[in-house]
Amino acid sequence: MSTPSVLFVCVHNAGRSQMAAGWLTHLAGDAVEVRSAGSLPADQVNPAAVAAMAEVGIDISAAAPRVLTAEAVQASDVVITMGCGDACPVFPGKRYLDWDLADPAGKGVAAIRPIRDEIESRIRGLLAELRGPRGPVVTAG
């Protein structure tokens, strides 16, 4: 059985997608391959998002925004978009989810906490789906 892979995509790959990747990596460990990318990546991850994640013991300070590529989408079983609109390429056979989350850009840590917590809740739900009823992680599709 192969390891399922999840790609998180937002415009700047500096906030929501980085927090989601941090949560999934933290909660799933090596059981899921985690990627994140942006259609117009920023120069760095939002420092307030880094601080908000540090409050819950997750270090995303070494993360760097990456450009979204067709290869990253093709290599992923599940693609989760967070406001990237039409910039995200669509390939047959992939599972796509669109998470409508507030954009943390320009916000302080206090405003980012509820976004971080909503992402955690969605990641826990996704992980439960990936694990399936028997416990081990199973591949999508």
Side-chain angles (χ1 to χ4, degrees), residues 10 13 20 32 35 62 92 113 115:
C10 66
N13 191 219
V32 178
R35 298 180 179 87
R113 285 183 191 121
I115 302 167

Side-chain angles (χ1 to χ4, degrees), residues 39-58:
S39 52
L40 295 168
D43 293 333
Q44 66 177 15
V45 175
N46 180 338
V50 172
M53 293 298 286
E55 289 180 346
V56 293
I58 300 172

